[in-house]
Amino acid sequence: MNTAQTPHRVVILGAGYAGMATAIQLAARTRRRSDVRVTVVNAQERFTERLRLHMTATGQDVAELTIPTLLAETGARFVRGWVTAVDAHARTVRVDDSQVLHYDTLVYGLGSVADTAAVPGAQEHAYTLDSPADAAALADRLARLGAGTVVVAGSGLTGVEAAAEIAERHPELTVVLVGQREPGAGMNAKARAYLRHALTRLGVQVHTGAAVTRVLPDGVELADGRTVAAAVVLWTGGTRVSPLAAAAGLSVDDRGRVVTDATLRSVSHPDVYAVGDAAAVRQGYGVLHGTCQSGMPTGVHVGVSIARSVRGRQPQPFRFGYYHTPVSLGRHDALVQFTHPDDSPRRLCLTGRTAVWYKETVSASPWPTYRRMSRMPASGAFWPRGGRFTRLRDAR
């Protein structure tokens, strides 16, 4: 065991849903130990509620939650700054190119952002929902338009929620949702029909089977040769992760995510854990896709695992099964598709006011969950393990 003079240094990169869950869980479980020091690094002091960025993008007020305020209750140290390099051999992290942090265990939680590099012109001409500042910039632009067309590029759930929110808050604008797949493609037929009807009711024009190949200053070009004119383009067509993990020599997948073993440790560097969108976590049904639903459990699991390790115990395998897909359709409608652990749709879904209540409960839950975990860490260690769906054959 480390002495008080040589504490075990845990550095957590990123304070999104997963990184915060790691920090709170670990700090709460080790707060009475002088041989463990927890440091959280994040570019901003404000906690980004990604589940509410489509609301910020339409000028709606949301709570300003600050990371240092919550961490102050746990004893974890907060460092504000951009992570500019990781040296996995020297076990150091460089922040803002000026500060160097040493670690014994690293938690890599630098999540994803919109992949504006995938299509020419997206980075120069499209808005994104990567941060409250990005969303606020879009809100300001929409408020000044008065009339015109807004193209939401990407028909996944982020695009659906954004398109619905914009159409409801700005009925004077024409909203066009463009994507290769039908909105709600992974849902059952009843849920897909409800979602399509809700978008139609809000006046959202949906163009499917249409890949955006270029973003222009005044619209988008599609793969079939068509051009859709637009005063504003919002890019929600895919995500990418930070290249820092690959640059540090960590084993990554073809999307740049850290490849982990069953316990969420890097397969190439066992002193590094990865959580949330930054991790390629394999379960029996495949690799997790990045959501708050799965991200927070990865963070809690890593917090528990590190606490076990400093006590001389081995970390346990991580298992997770999906259970729902909640989608807001403006402030007065929503859809919740319940799922099997492998994320395939069940027959059951909620719609209307009941679904609005359910979705709001989900969106509002992370912050009180963190506060509760800071006092009772075991309260956060419950989620569906997925049964047979999550068992890896080679782990049997």
Side-chain angles (χ1 to χ4, degrees):
M1 180 182 296
N2 289 331
T3 67
Q5 288 72 38
T6 57
H8 187 93
R9 299 160 299 185
V10 180
V11 175
I12 301 169
L13 305 184
Y17 290 114
M20 281 294 287
T22 306
I24 298 299
Q25 186 68 215
L26 176 59
R29 289 178 179 268
T30 60
R31 62 162 47 101
R32 293 178 179 166
R33 298 179 65 106
S34 60
D35 59 346
V36 179
R37 179 185 300 160
V38 180
T39 300
V40 180
V41 183
N42 199 66
Q44 304 295 333
E45 292 188 357
R46 180 177 178 177
F47 177 73
T48 298
E49 291 188 282
R50 295 188 72 93
L51 296 176
R52 297 189 186 277
L53 286 177
H54 56 284
M55 296 172 61
T56 304
T58 52
Q60 300 175 67
D61 293 329
V62 299
E64 291 204 19
L65 309 173
T66 62
I67 297 165
T69 299
L70 184 57
L71 292 181
E73 302 174 9
T74 69
R77 182 169 70 115
F78 176 71
V79 174
R80 178 178 177 177
W82 291 94
V83 179
T84 53
V86 175
D87 188 330
H89 177 71
R91 294 184 178 179
T92 60
V93 174
R94 186 171 292 276
V95 180
D96 288 336
D97 285 328
S98 59
Q99 184 176 5
V100 176
L101 303 177
H102 295 262
Y103 68 83
D104 298 297
T105 298
L106 181 70
V107 180
Y108 190 89
L110 299 176
S112 62
V113 296
D115 190 4
T116 53
V119 170
Q123 190 166 351
E124 294 83 5
H125 306 304
Y127 289 83
T128 65
L129 297 179
D130 288 334
S131 69
D134 293 336
L138 175 58
D140 179 68
R141 179 73 175 108
L142 294 175
R144 292 185 288 106
L145 267 183
T149 297
V150 177
V151 167
V152 179
S155 56
L157 298 184
T158 300
V160 167
E161 290 193 326
E165 206 77 35
I166 294 169
E168 182 179 88
R169 298 285 291 188
H170 292 282
E172 75 280 7
L173 302 177
T174 299
V175 180
V176 180
L177 179 63
V178 180
Q180 292 182 292
R181 305 180 69 196
E182 177 186 2
M187 299 180 176
N188 65 32
K190 177 183 176 182
R192 290 198 306 272
Y194 187 90
L195 191 141
R196 191 64 179 258
H197 174 76
L199 292 174
T200 300
R201 173 179 54 78
L202 290 167
V204 177
Q205 300 176 19
V206 179
H207 295 180
T208 57
V212 175
T213 56
R214 182 178 296 273
V215 178
L216 307 170
D218 55 357
V220 296
E221 290 181 356
L222 306 183
D224 59 10
R226 289 180 295 161
T227 298
V228 181
V232 170
V233 176
L234 170 61
W235 187 262
T236 66
T239 60
R240 58 182 170 85
V241 299
S242 168
L244 286 175
L250 303 177
S251 292
V252 299
D253 69 357
D254 57 359
R255 293 178 54 187
R257 298 175 297 183
V258 178
V259 179
T260 70
D261 64 12
T263 69
L264 304 187
R265 289 184 298 194
S266 162
V267 295
S268 60
H269 294 75
D271 54 341
V272 177
Y273 288 84
V275 296
D277 295 357
V281 180
R282 180 165 294 280
Q283 301 287 275
Y285 51 78
V287 178
L288 290 183
H289 59 79
T291 64
C292 173
Q293 179 184 176
S294 59
M296 287 181 66
T298 65
V300 171
H301 181 83
V302 166
V304 172
S305 295
I306 297 173
R308 288 175 62 90
S309 295
V310 297
R311 291 180 172 88
R313 303 170 66 186
Q314 290 298 311
Q316 298 296 307
F318 174 78
R319 292 174 61 187
F320 172 82
Y322 294 99
Y323 48 96
H324 66 194
T325 303
V327 187
S328 64
L329 299 168
R331 293 299 86 206
H332 308 292
D333 198 2
L335 167 66
V336 180
Q337 169 71 73
F338 291 97
T339 68
H340 295 285
D342 64 352
D343 205 29
S344 61
R346 295 183 184 271
R347 295 179 60 185
L348 178 63
C349 61
L350 299 178
T351 59
R353 291 183 180 275
T354 304
V356 170
W357 171 84
Y358 189 104
K359 177 63 163 67
E360 176 56 28
T361 301
V362 169
S363 297
S365 65
W367 202 252
T369 297
Y370 295 144
R371 289 193 179 279
R372 185 170 60 252
M373 278 201 304
S374 70
R375 297 186 293 271
M376 300 178 293
S379 67
F382 296 94
W383 60 82
R385 263 55 178 188
R388 62 182 175 83
F389 289 88
T390 58
R391 295 193 187 102
L392 291 172
R393 292 183 179 180
D394 58 5
R396 292 176 182 173

PDB file of all heavy atoms in Angstrom, residues 169-182:
ATOM      1  N   ARG A 169     -40.014  25.708 -31.777  1.00  0.00           N
ATOM      2  CA  ARG A 169     -39.691  27.037 -31.240  1.00  0.00           C
ATOM      3  C   ARG A 169     -39.676  28.117 -32.319  1.00  0.00           C
ATOM      4  O   ARG A 169     -39.846  29.295 -32.012  1.00  0.00           O
ATOM      5  CB  ARG A 169     -38.327  26.988 -30.545  1.00  0.00           C
ATOM      6  CG  ARG A 169     -38.248  26.053 -29.355  1.00  0.00           C
ATOM      7  CD  ARG A 169     -38.941  26.603 -28.144  1.00  0.00           C
ATOM      8  NE  ARG A 169     -38.248  27.753 -27.580  1.00  0.00           N
ATOM      9  CZ  ARG A 169     -38.565  28.334 -26.431  1.00  0.00           C
ATOM     10  NH1 ARG A 169     -39.582  27.869 -25.718  1.00  0.00           N
ATOM     11  NH2 ARG A 169     -37.896  29.386 -25.994  1.00  0.00           N
ATOM     12  N   HIS A 170     -39.462  27.714 -33.571  1.00  0.00           N
ATOM     13  CA  HIS A 170     -39.372  28.691 -34.670  1.00  0.00           C
ATOM     14  C   HIS A 170     -40.291  28.269 -35.815  1.00  0.00           C
ATOM     15  O   HIS A 170     -39.805  27.861 -36.895  1.00  0.00           O
ATOM     16  CB  HIS A 170     -37.929  28.798 -35.157  1.00  0.00           C
ATOM     17  CG  HIS A 170     -36.989  29.407 -34.171  1.00  0.00           C
ATOM     18  ND1 HIS A 170     -36.925  30.772 -33.946  1.00  0.00           N
ATOM     19  CD2 HIS A 170     -36.089  28.837 -33.334  1.00  0.00           C
ATOM     20  CE1 HIS A 170     -35.999  31.019 -33.018  1.00  0.00           C
ATOM     21  NE2 HIS A 170     -35.479  29.867 -32.623  1.00  0.00           N
ATOM     22  N   PRO A 171     -41.590  28.388 -35.624  1.00  0.00           N
ATOM     23  CA  PRO A 171     -42.517  27.980 -36.697  1.00  0.00           C
ATOM     24  C   PRO A 171     -42.393  28.828 -37.951  1.00  0.00           C
ATOM     25  O   PRO A 171     -42.879  28.437 -39.015  1.00  0.00           O
ATOM     26  CB  PRO A 171     -43.897  28.146 -36.042  1.00  0.00           C
ATOM     27  CG  PRO A 171     -43.683  29.120 -34.919  1.00  0.00           C
ATOM     28  CD  PRO A 171     -42.303  28.854 -34.427  1.00  0.00           C
ATOM     29  N   GLU A 172     -41.722  29.971 -37.838  1.00  0.00           N
ATOM     30  CA  GLU A 172     -41.526  30.816 -39.014  1.00  0.00           C
ATOM     31  C   GLU A 172     -40.450  30.273 -39.943  1.00  0.00           C
ATOM     32  O   GLU A 172     -40.314  30.734 -41.083  1.00  0.00           O
ATOM     33  CB  GLU A 172     -41.163  32.243 -38.577  1.00  0.00           C
ATOM     34  CG  GLU A 172     -39.742  32.434 -38.066  1.00  0.00           C
ATOM     35  CD  GLU A 172     -39.524  31.997 -36.612  1.00  0.00           C
ATOM     36  OE1 GLU A 172     -40.462  31.419 -36.023  1.00  0.00           O
ATOM     37  OE2 GLU A 172     -38.428  32.247 -36.079  1.00  0.00           O
ATOM     38  N   LEU A 173     -39.687  29.286 -39.484  1.00  0.00           N
ATOM     39  CA  LEU A 173     -38.605  28.714 -40.276  1.00  0.00           C
ATOM     40  C   LEU A 173     -39.032  27.385 -40.894  1.00  0.00           C
ATOM     41  O   LEU A 173     -39.867  26.673 -40.342  1.00  0.00           O
ATOM     42  CB  LEU A 173     -37.366  28.494 -39.410  1.00  0.00           C
ATOM     43  CG  LEU A 173     -36.783  29.720 -38.707  1.00  0.00           C
ATOM     44  CD1 LEU A 173     -35.609  29.323 -37.825  1.00  0.00           C
ATOM     45  CD2 LEU A 173     -36.372  30.775 -39.725  1.00  0.00           C
ATOM     46  N   THR A 174     -38.439  27.070 -42.032  1.00  0.00           N
ATOM     47  CA  THR A 174     -38.631  25.756 -42.654  1.00  0.00           C
ATOM     48  C   THR A 174     -37.485  24.853 -42.209  1.00  0.00           C
ATOM     49  O   THR A 174     -36.312  25.196 -42.406  1.00  0.00           O
ATOM     50  CB  THR A 174     -38.632  25.862 -44.189  1.00  0.00           C
ATOM     51  OG1 THR A 174     -39.711  26.708 -44.597  1.00  0.00           O
ATOM     52  CG2 THR A 174     -38.785  24.491 -44.824  1.00  0.00           C
ATOM     53  N   VAL A 175     -37.825  23.727 -41.593  1.00  0.00           N
ATOM     54  CA  VAL A 175     -36.805  22.805 -41.090  1.00  0.00           C
ATOM     55  C   VAL A 175     -36.791  21.553 -41.961  1.00  0.00           C
ATOM     56  O   VAL A 175     -37.829  20.911 -42.169  1.00  0.00           O
ATOM     57  CB  VAL A 175     -37.074  22.424 -39.620  1.00  0.00           C
ATOM     58  CG1 VAL A 175     -35.991  21.458 -39.121  1.00  0.00           C
ATOM     59  CG2 VAL A 175     -37.114  23.675 -38.753  1.00  0.00           C
ATOM     60  N   VAL A 176     -35.602  21.222 -42.459  1.00  0.00           N
ATOM     61  CA  VAL A 176     -35.432  20.052 -43.320  1.00  0.00           C
ATOM     62  C   VAL A 176     -34.442  19.104 -42.648  1.00  0.00           C
ATOM     63  O   VAL A 176     -33.303  19.491 -42.351  1.00  0.00           O
ATOM     64  CB  VAL A 176     -34.912  20.451 -44.721  1.00  0.00           C
ATOM     65  CG1 VAL A 176     -34.751  19.210 -45.600  1.00  0.00           C
ATOM     66  CG2 VAL A 176     -35.857  21.452 -45.373  1.00  0.00           C
ATOM     67  N   LEU A 177     -34.869  17.872 -42.411  1.00  0.00           N
ATOM     68  CA  LEU A 177     -34.017  16.843 -41.810  1.00  0.00           C
ATOM     69  C   LEU A 177     -33.531  15.923 -42.926  1.00  0.00           C
ATOM     70  O   LEU A 177     -34.335  15.290 -43.615  1.00  0.00           O
ATOM     71  CB  LEU A 177     -34.805  16.057 -40.764  1.00  0.00           C
ATOM     72  CG  LEU A 177     -34.079  14.913 -40.045  1.00  0.00           C
ATOM     73  CD1 LEU A 177     -32.901  15.442 -39.228  1.00  0.00           C
ATOM     74  CD2 LEU A 177     -35.044  14.153 -39.149  1.00  0.00           C
ATOM     75  N   VAL A 178     -32.210  15.861 -43.102  1.00  0.00           N
ATOM     76  CA  VAL A 178     -31.621  15.091 -44.195  1.00  0.00           C
ATOM     77  C   VAL A 178     -30.748  13.989 -43.625  1.00  0.00           C
ATOM     78  O   VAL A 178     -29.919  14.232 -42.738  1.00  0.00           O
ATOM     79  CB  VAL A 178     -30.768  16.003 -45.106  1.00  0.00           C
ATOM     80  CG1 VAL A 178     -30.166  15.200 -46.247  1.00  0.00           C
ATOM     81  CG2 VAL A 178     -31.608  17.151 -45.654  1.00  0.00           C
ATOM     82  N   GLY A 179     -30.914  12.765 -44.123  1.00  0.00           N
ATOM     83  CA  GLY A 179     -30.082  11.666 -43.647  1.00  0.00           C
ATOM     84  C   GLY A 179     -30.237  10.438 -44.511  1.00  0.00           C
ATOM     85  O   GLY A 179     -31.182  10.314 -45.302  1.00  0.00           O
ATOM     86  N   GLN A 180     -29.300   9.526 -44.365  1.00  0.00           N
ATOM     87  CA  GLN A 180     -29.349   8.295 -45.150  1.00  0.00           C
ATOM     88  C   GLN A 180     -30.434   7.353 -44.648  1.00  0.00           C
ATOM     89  O   GLN A 180     -31.075   6.661 -45.425  1.00  0.00           O
ATOM     90  CB  GLN A 180     -27.990   7.602 -45.119  1.00  0.00           C
ATOM     91  CG  GLN A 180     -26.895   8.364 -45.861  1.00  0.00           C
ATOM     92  CD  GLN A 180     -25.582   7.623 -45.835  1.00  0.00           C
ATOM     93  OE1 GLN A 180     -24.951   7.468 -44.791  1.00  0.00           O
ATOM     94  NE2 GLN A 180     -25.155   7.148 -46.996  1.00  0.00           N
ATOM     95  N   ARG A 181     -30.638   7.311 -43.326  1.00  0.00           N
ATOM     96  CA  ARG A 181     -31.580   6.357 -42.750  1.00  0.00           C
ATOM     97  C   ARG A 181     -32.875   7.045 -42.326  1.00  0.00           C
ATOM     98  O   ARG A 181     -32.893   8.243 -42.036  1.00  0.00           O
ATOM     99  CB  ARG A 181     -30.960   5.653 -41.544  1.00  0.00           C
ATOM    100  CG  ARG A 181     -29.638   4.964 -41.821  1.00  0.00           C
ATOM    101  CD  ARG A 181     -29.098   4.307 -40.579  1.00  0.00           C
ATOM    102  NE  ARG A 181     -29.894   3.158 -40.166  1.00  0.00           N
ATOM    103  CZ  ARG A 181     -29.822   2.588 -38.964  1.00  0.00           C
ATOM    104  NH1 ARG A 181     -29.015   3.105 -38.046  1.00  0.00           N
ATOM    105  NH2 ARG A 181     -30.553   1.545 -38.676  1.00  0.00           N
ATOM    106  N   GLU A 182     -33.939   6.266 -42.273  1.00  0.00           N
ATOM    107  CA  GLU A 182     -35.213   6.765 -41.780  1.00  0.00           C
ATOM    108  C   GLU A 182     -35.073   7.136 -40.310  1.00  0.00           C
ATOM    109  O   GLU A 182     -34.435   6.408 -39.536  1.00  0.00           O
ATOM    110  CB  GLU A 182     -36.287   5.683 -41.935  1.00  0.00           C
ATOM    111  CG  GLU A 182     -37.641   6.072 -41.390  1.00  0.00           C
ATOM    112  CD  GLU A 182     -38.646   4.937 -41.429  1.00  0.00           C
ATOM    113  OE1 GLU A 182     -38.270   3.823 -41.850  1.00  0.00           O
ATOM    114  OE2 GLU A 182     -39.809   5.156 -41.027  1.00  0.00           O
TER     115      GLU A 182
END
